[in-house]
Amino acid sequence: MNDPISSVGIVGFVAGWFWRKVEKALFYKTYLYSHRRWTSKHGVGSFWEPLGEHLEYSVYLAESTDAQPQESKIALRAKQGTVSRFECVFEGRGMGGKYQDRIIAVDVDTTPAIFKLNNQPVCELINVTNDRVRFSLDTYRLRHCSVELTDGRNIPIQDGLTQTLTQTSIWNSHWSKRWEIDWNLDAAKFAKQEIEIYWRWFGTYSHSGVYVPVADGGPKYAAPWVRVGAKAIGWVMSNRWLVTAQFWLAIWSGLWVLDQDDRLRWRWKKPVSNSGV
């Protein structure tokens, strides 16, 4: 005799497996695109700081939302030519402690040389009290830097300015955990905001609500009831859940893609550069 409880469990398992497959087919590509956009803006090499006259550097400090392995990195490159040898100490500070990594690089040229910062903790929120928000890391700087040029000259570099971490990824970014991965959805969030703004102003500055061009070259303003109707449509369509539905339906239809400015673009409209999902 079949156990009804076992049958329900099997059906639930199959339904869950099927839904996970459907969910990934619907959302994965857009999630990946949005996360890569965030990585391109915040990853190592996305922004360079000068380090004396001959070098520049780029830092990425690992965060709790990063996939494993969560690694902090620093990249170095010469502004021009080649630097024979570079040495420094990278020092991060937070939670009353300091964490140091010694860096030695040779033959540094315009191709970035990347080093792991193994002693730096993952940058994450530790706790919030009435008077303070505490993170594992608050600041970093480069210390005891020296450069040896190809002609044999040794040039000491003054300790870098202390860089204070803004922690913007925690406070300002939008994250979602799916498939056991933390995804940054800033690009999708921005695209939804653009849809909402469009509808908020629909009937105010759009041609459908304010005026209609006519053959004699002069604008013919729409009747008051047309403007009121357009504003009513805009008010309804700017509802948050309707905006979300419009965004995903546009993506799923395949007729719209996210462009390089994180806005929905008609698929066949020529982009400024190759991008989109």
Side-chain angles (χ1 to χ4, degrees), residues 35-226:
H35 192 80
R36 284 178 173 173
R37 289 282 293 166
W38 183 87
T39 302
S40 69
K41 296 175 183 177
H42 297 86
V44 66
S46 60
F47 183 78
W48 294 87
E49 290 277 0
L51 184 60
E53 298 181 4
H54 304 280
L55 293 169
E56 53 188 3
Y57 71 98
S58 177
V59 172
Y60 178 75
L61 296 173
E63 302 186 4
S64 58
T65 52
D66 291 348
Q68 296 291 343
Q70 297 170 329
E71 297 176 336
S72 296
K73 297 179 181 180
I74 183 172
L76 300 164
R77 69 182 182 187
K79 294 181 180 179
Q80 58 182 0
T82 300
V83 171
S84 292
R85 179 184 173 89
F86 170 76
E87 185 172 346
C88 78
V89 173
F90 182 97
E91 181 179 276
R93 293 193 176 219
M95 295 295 294
K98 58 183 179 181
Y99 313 90
Q100 297 183 340
D101 285 274
R102 188 183 183 190
I103 299 169
I104 299 176
V106 297
D107 297 331
V108 182
D109 55 22
T110 55
T111 300
I114 301 174
F115 301 85
K116 295 179 182 179
L117 301 172
N118 295 316
N119 294 329
Q120 305 303 310
V122 173
C123 188
E124 59 185 342
L125 179 66
I126 301 300
N127 60 46
V128 179
T129 61
N130 292 331
D131 60 345
R132 188 176 182 184
V133 179
R134 306 183 72 186
F135 293 88
S136 55
L137 277 177
D138 296 313
T139 64
Y140 70 84
R141 65 171 174 166
L142 271 62
R143 305 186 59 199
H144 303 294
C145 303
S146 63
V147 167
E148 181 182 332
L149 302 180
T150 53
D151 60 8
R153 286 184 298 155
N154 288 286
I155 302 175
I157 301 176
Q158 185 177 1
D159 285 0
L161 295 175
T162 298
Q163 303 288 341
T164 301
L165 302 179
T166 60
Q167 316 294 356
T168 55
S169 64
I170 292 178
W171 300 120
N172 299 329
S173 288
H174 179 58
W175 296 86
S176 177
K177 191 175 186 70
R178 276 190 175 170
W179 315 296
E180 300 182 355
I181 299 175
D182 288 293
W183 301 93
N184 182 278
L185 298 182
D186 284 355
K189 180 181 178 181
F190 181 82
K192 293 177 188 178
Q193 289 174 339
E194 290 294 295
I195 296 173
E196 182 178 354
I197 290 171
Y198 171 82
W199 287 117
R200 288 289 183 186
W201 291 104
F202 188 75
T204 302
Y205 291 113
S206 64
H207 70 272
S208 60
V210 177
Y211 69 88
V212 178
V214 294
D216 61 8
K220 179 182 179 181
Y221 287 89
W225 67 268
V226 174

Side-chain angles (χ1 to χ4, degrees), residues 249-268:
L249 288 173
I251 293 293
W252 295 338
S253 71
L255 302 177
W256 301 82
V257 296
L258 282 172
D259 66 10
Q260 63 177 6
D261 296 318
D262 298 336
R263 293 181 173 90
L264 285 176
R265 171 179 58 80
W266 183 250
R267 176 175 289 277
W268 291 277

